[in-house]
Amino acid sequence: MTAKVLTAKTVDLVALVKPNIMIMALLTAAGAISLAPGTMPASRALLMLLGAGLIVGAANTLNMWLERDTDCLMSRTKNRPLPQHRLAPMTALWFGAIQGAIALPVLAASGIVPAALGLVALLLYVGAYTPMKQKTHHATWVGAVPGAMPALIGWTAATGRIDVPGLAVFGVLFFWQIPHTHAIAIYRQRDYDAAGMKTLPSTHGLPATRRAIRLFLVVQVAVSLLPAVLGIAGLPYLVTAIVLGAMVLAQGFGGDGSPKWARNLFLTSIVYLPILFAVMVASGQA
C-alpha cells in the first residue's frame, strides 16, 4: 500500500468518527468537568476525555456502518467513505467495535458511573436510535440522549454521581436538539423521504412540525435558565441565556414556517449552543 493510499484510508477512517461531532462532545464533557463542584486530577480528566471520545467515535462509526445503504440515497451523506466504497464495510465494523471495546475500560478508570453512562449512550445510539429512524419520528428523542450524554459523563466523572445540577446541564443540551433536529427534517425532507427516514414532517406534516418546533423552543429556553437558577453559572450566563433565548424565540415564532425559515432556524441554533455553553462554563468558573 503506497503512502498516498494509506493517507487516504486514514482520512476515511477519521471521517467515520464524525470529527465535528466528536469535538463538540469533548468540549461539552470538558466544560461539564469545570462546572462540577470540587476538583478532578488532570490524569483522570484526560482518561475520561479519551474514553468519551472513543465512545462517540464508536457510535458514529457503527452508525455509518448500519446506514451505509441508506446513505447512498441522500445528497448529504452519499459521499461518505462507505457509500463511495472507499472502505470495506467490515473495516468500519471492526473499527467501531474496537473503539467501543477500548472506550469502556478507559472510562471506567475515571469512574463506574461515567462508564455506565458511556455504555448506555453507545447502546442507545447504535441499537435503538439508528434502526428507529426508519420506523418512527420518536427516534429524535432517543438520539438526543446520547447526543447530550458527554456532558453528563464529564459531570459524573468529577462528582461520582448523577444529581440535579448535572441533569440540568444535560437538559440544556438535550432539549436544544429537539427543535434543531425537526428544523433539519423540514428543509431536508426530500433527502430523508428518499432514504425512508421517518421524520416528524413526513409522518405528521409541516404544520404539526412547526408547532412542535415552537413548543420545544420555549422548553429549550426555559431549561437553559436552570443552570443560573441552580447556581451552576452566574449572572453573565443568565443574561446571555435570556438574550439568546429571546433571539431564537423571535425567529421561531416570527417566521413563515417555510423550508427557508427552518434552515435559518437550524443555522441560528448552531450559533446559539456554543455561545450559550461557553458563557456557562466561563460564568461557572468565575
Side-chain angles (χ1 to χ4, degrees):
M1 184 180 294
T2 66
K4 185 176 181 180
V5 172
L6 182 60
T7 300
K9 295 293 184 185
T10 302
V11 169
D12 283 334
L13 285 173
V14 171
L16 292 179
V17 306
K18 300 181 184 177
N20 291 340
I21 293 177
M22 179 181 287
I23 290 169
M24 188 64 185
L26 292 177
L27 288 174
T28 58
I33 290 176
S34 71
L35 286 167
T39 59
M40 183 178 181
S43 58
R44 210 169 87 201
L46 288 173
L47 280 173
M48 186 282 299
L49 291 172
L50 175 60
L54 287 167
I55 279 289
V56 173
N60 287 333
T61 300
L62 294 172
N63 167 266
M64 284 205 195
W65 175 72
L66 286 169
E67 294 189 337
R68 61 191 183 277
D69 293 330
T70 53
D71 278 351
C72 295
L73 305 174
M74 296 191 291
S75 59
R76 183 175 62 91
T77 57
K78 66 182 181 182
N79 291 320
R80 287 175 173 175
L82 294 178
Q84 290 295 312
H85 306 290
R86 297 195 303 269
L87 289 175
M90 192 57 67
T91 300
L93 176 59
W94 275 107
F95 184 51
I98 289 170
Q99 288 180 84
I102 296 173
L104 294 174
V106 171
L107 270 179
S110 67
I112 296 301
V113 178
L117 292 174
L119 178 59
V120 168
L122 180 61
L123 293 177
L124 279 179
Y125 195 80
V126 177
Y129 167 69
T130 299
M132 281 179 69
K133 288 162 70 176
Q134 296 285 334
K135 299 176 181 177
T136 173
H137 68 87
H138 294 302
T140 296
W141 290 89
V142 176
V145 175
M149 195 69 87
L152 193 56
I153 289 173
W155 184 279
T156 57
T159 65
R161 65 185 184 275
I162 298 173
D163 53 21
V164 171
L167 289 173
V169 176
F170 170 87
V172 171
L173 298 169
F174 176 87
F175 283 105
W176 167 83
Q177 293 175 79
I178 306 305
H180 173 85
T181 303
H182 288 333
I184 299 172
I186 289 179
Y187 85 84
R188 290 196 176 275
Q189 185 176 0
R190 185 177 300 177
D191 248 11
Y192 287 128
D193 287 349
M197 302 288 188
K198 302 301 182 185
T199 64
L200 191 59
S202 69
T203 59
H204 288 69
L206 290 177
T209 307
R210 288 191 288 265
R211 288 194 297 270
I213 287 174
R214 286 162 176 158
L215 170 63
F216 288 107
L217 282 175
V218 173
V219 174
Q220 169 190 318
V221 172
V223 171
S224 76
L225 303 179
L226 288 179
V229 173
L230 295 171
I232 301 167
L235 182 60
Y237 171 77
L238 178 61
V239 172
T240 302
I242 291 172
V243 171
L244 290 177
M247 178 185 70
V248 297
L249 289 176
Q251 184 170 18
F253 281 85
D256 59 4
S258 66
K260 182 179 179 180
W261 165 83
R263 187 174 187 276
N264 289 337
L265 190 62
F266 160 75
L267 293 173
T268 300
S269 72
I270 291 177
V271 176
Y272 167 94
L273 185 64
I275 295 175
L276 184 74
F277 198 78
V279 176
M280 186 195 303
V281 172
S283 178
Q285 291 176 328

